[in-house]
Amino acid sequence: MLNALSVDVEDWYMVGAFERSIMRADWPAKEVRVEHNTDAVLALFAEIGVKATFFTLGCVAAAHPALMQRIVGSGHEIASHGWDHIRVFTMTPEAFRADAERAHKTIEDTSGVAVTGYRAPSFSIDMRTPWAHEILAGMGYAYSSSVAPLKHDHYGWPEAPRAAFKPVPGSELIEIPVGVVDLAGKTFGAGGGFFRLFPYLLSRHAVTKVNADRRPATFYFHPWDMDPGQPYVVEASIKSKLRHYTNLSAMEGKLRRLTRDFDWGRYDAVVERVRSDMV
């Protein structure tokens, strides 16, 4: 079973956990680590021999066009993560369309390849945004991975399907939800901070269970997830600091285990297999 591996390309200070501690007006003064950290991910993937999809913020693509070309040149897929990490459910349909179009054009221009995949910042397409998938379909996207079928204090759509589905009648757009696992009456994500915070066996159980149902698992992380040397935000809440900084030094080793235990590839390759199964 080929599972979908992805990287959300954003810098350490752009995350939702710090939105109350670091204002957007302060972003230009922050230490830039995204290029170095993403290059470290590329080096790791080259060493272990896996390909992935890099969901990239438009503002990062604009600032680091050579990085976009290195991602593509290494055989990975590049996709859109919106412009600058604003949650979809905080935007109007018009603002979302403008954000998506700006990111799409910038990522295509800097990478030199067509962009067919989209991931909403913080998986923020949910029951409040029925128009978001329609806009993505109208833009010609082949797939989205923007729904988290769980309850989280920053995002989540617990009632959403866990398997791939077509969210817009009459459209070929496919939504690939983020992977989740049920444990002790609660639902946890299979990537990102969940992967760092919890024992590796939980993620291995999640992927194994999904594959046993003859479905591809999905997994994501960020370049800063592998960066224990990043700046420490003293002003952030205790919860935010625990989520962001715990087990950063263990991330690379856990990723190596994950890629040894299962088969992983680009989202576009997984989507084509899913699409053929839907026919």
Side-chain angles (χ1 to χ4, degrees):
M1 178 68 67
L2 183 67
N3 300 292
L5 178 63
S6 63
V7 184
D8 289 358
V9 183
E10 58 201 49
D11 220 330
W12 62 273
Y13 55 85
M14 297 175 173
V15 301
F18 293 156
E19 62 187 1
R20 296 182 181 178
S21 308
I22 301 176
M23 301 298 102
R24 289 176 182 273
D26 298 328
W27 282 14
K30 297 301 176 184
E31 179 183 353
V32 176
R33 299 176 72 88
V34 66
E35 185 165 19
H36 174 270
N37 289 340
T38 305
D39 279 334
V41 174
L42 290 172
L44 174 64
F45 284 175
E47 179 188 341
I48 60 183
V50 298
K51 303 301 181 186
T53 294
F54 286 68
F55 291 98
T56 304
L57 290 178
C59 66
V60 172
H64 305 282
L67 175 61
M68 303 301 103
Q69 293 156 26
R70 289 198 296 276
I71 291 172
V72 172
S74 299
H76 303 288
E77 179 191 15
I78 199 157
S80 176
H81 196 31
W83 180 254
D84 61 353
H85 218 264
I86 296 177
R87 293 186 179 90
V88 177
F89 55 69
T90 68
M91 291 190 262
T92 64
E94 294 74 22
F96 173 67
R97 184 189 300 276
D99 181 282
E101 289 178 344
R102 183 184 185 191
H104 188 271
K105 183 179 187 307
T106 300
I107 297 168
E108 286 196 335
D109 288 349
T110 54
S111 68
V113 297
V115 170
T116 63
Y118 176 88
R119 169 169 288 157
S122 299
F123 301 102
S124 52
I125 290 181
D126 59 21
M127 74 292 291
R128 291 169 288 184
T129 60
W131 37 263
H133 280 125
E134 295 176 1
I135 290 173
L136 294 175
M139 290 178 62
Y141 276 103
Y143 72 90
S144 162
S145 182
S146 303
V147 170
L150 52 73
K151 185 176 182 180
H152 189 282
D153 56 350
H154 284 195
Y155 56 83
W157 185 359
E159 302 81 12
R162 296 188 177 188
F165 64 99
K166 292 184 177 181
V168 181
S171 169
E172 290 301 306
L173 177 73
I174 293 177
E175 172 64 38
I176 308 286
V178 64
V180 297
V181 60
D182 296 321
L183 184 67
K186 294 185 178 181
T187 303
F188 300 92
F194 294 103
F195 185 70
R196 277 190 294 104
L197 289 164
F198 294 102
Y200 172 73
L201 291 179
L202 178 64
S203 292
R204 190 177 75 177
H205 167 72
V207 176
T208 300
K209 189 174 185 300
V210 171
N211 287 174
D213 292 335
R214 301 187 61 81
R215 291 190 287 116
T218 60
F219 182 85
Y220 76 98
F221 70 100
H222 313 85
W224 55 260
D225 276 313
M226 290 174 49
D227 179 16
Q230 63 188 277
Y232 190 77
V233 183
V234 177
E235 303 82 4
S237 68
I238 294 176
K239 179 188 288 189
S240 293
K241 286 186 281 194
L242 283 173
R243 284 176 173 171
H244 193 87
Y245 295 110
T246 299
N247 293 336
L248 292 173
S249 60
M251 188 67 174
E252 181 177 335
K254 295 176 81 172
L255 284 169
R256 289 178 181 275
R257 292 184 67 183
L258 187 73
T259 54
R260 283 197 305 264
D261 289 346
F262 305 96
D263 290 331
W264 298 94
R266 296 165 37 143
Y267 259 74
D268 53 358
V270 173
V271 167
E272 286 310 305
R273 296 188 181 194
V274 169
R275 192 183 301 280
S276 65
D277 290 341
M278 286 181 167
V279 175

